């Protein structure tokens, strides 16, 4: 599993959603943003287009995820997401990233207007 900084994820998301004539367009498909926090945490703040899948529900819901897709696992500070990323790799997922620092880093480095808790 690779660690991904908030700034690197922001650049990846920008490149995957740019106009076709943008120099970085199409260089990398948009990743699945898998938020493993509790629903109340997600309701307070989350990255746009992220998919809420609380950590304790993941084993029963693995079939909802594409094992061949790029998956960025997100939590508050990056600890739970790192654990779950390792679990996904053990289950055969090939391209798993941990958002280093979690939504806390995203709010600090990318979107200072994001609500914090």
């Amino acid at each position: 599993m690779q660690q991904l900084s908030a700034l690197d994820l922001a650049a990846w998301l920008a490149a995957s959603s740019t106009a076709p004539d943008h120099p970085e367009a199409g260089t990398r498909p948009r990743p699945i943003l898998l938020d493993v926090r509790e629903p109340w945490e997600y309701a307070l703040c989350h990255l746009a287009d992220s998919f809420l899948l609380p950590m304790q529900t993941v084993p029963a819901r693995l079939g909802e995820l594409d094992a061949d897709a790029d998956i960025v696992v997100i939590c508050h500070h990056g600890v739970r997401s790192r654990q779950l990323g390792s679990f996904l790799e053990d289950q055969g997922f090939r391209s798993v990233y941990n958002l280093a620092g979690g939504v806390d880093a995203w709010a600090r480095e990318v979107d200072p207007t994001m609500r914090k808790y």
Side-chain angles (χ1 to χ4, degrees):
M1 175 184 40
Q2 300 176 50
Q3 297 295 311
L4 187 65
S5 75
L7 292 175
D8 287 341
L9 177 58
W12 184 356
L13 295 174
S16 67
S17 63
T18 56
D21 60 341
H22 188 279
E24 293 185 46
T27 58
R28 197 169 188 190
R30 186 174 183 83
I32 295 171
L33 303 177
L34 181 61
D35 196 316
V36 298
R37 296 175 299 147
E38 296 299 321
W40 70 267
E41 294 174 296
Y42 185 84
L44 287 174
C45 61
H46 61 271
L47 278 67
D49 300 322
S50 59
F51 175 59
L52 176 63
L53 192 63
M55 189 168 179
Q56 71 274 12
T57 67
V58 171
R61 296 177 64 188
L62 278 178
E64 296 177 37
L65 301 174
D66 180 357
D68 295 323
D70 292 318
I71 297 177
V72 178
V73 188
I74 303 164
C75 70
H76 188 190
H77 292 292
V79 176
R80 286 182 286 178
S81 56
R82 189 171 47 242
Q83 293 169 343
L84 186 66
S86 294
F87 171 78
L88 291 175
E89 286 185 328
D90 291 345
Q91 300 303 308
F93 287 76
R94 295 190 265 179
S95 186
V96 181
Y97 300 82
N98 177 49
L99 177 58
V103 293
D104 190 51
W106 184 269
R108 205 175 43 253
E109 299 169 18
V110 177
D111 184 4
T113 64
M114 178 182 270
R115 189 173 172 192
K116 298 166 187 70
Y117 64 99

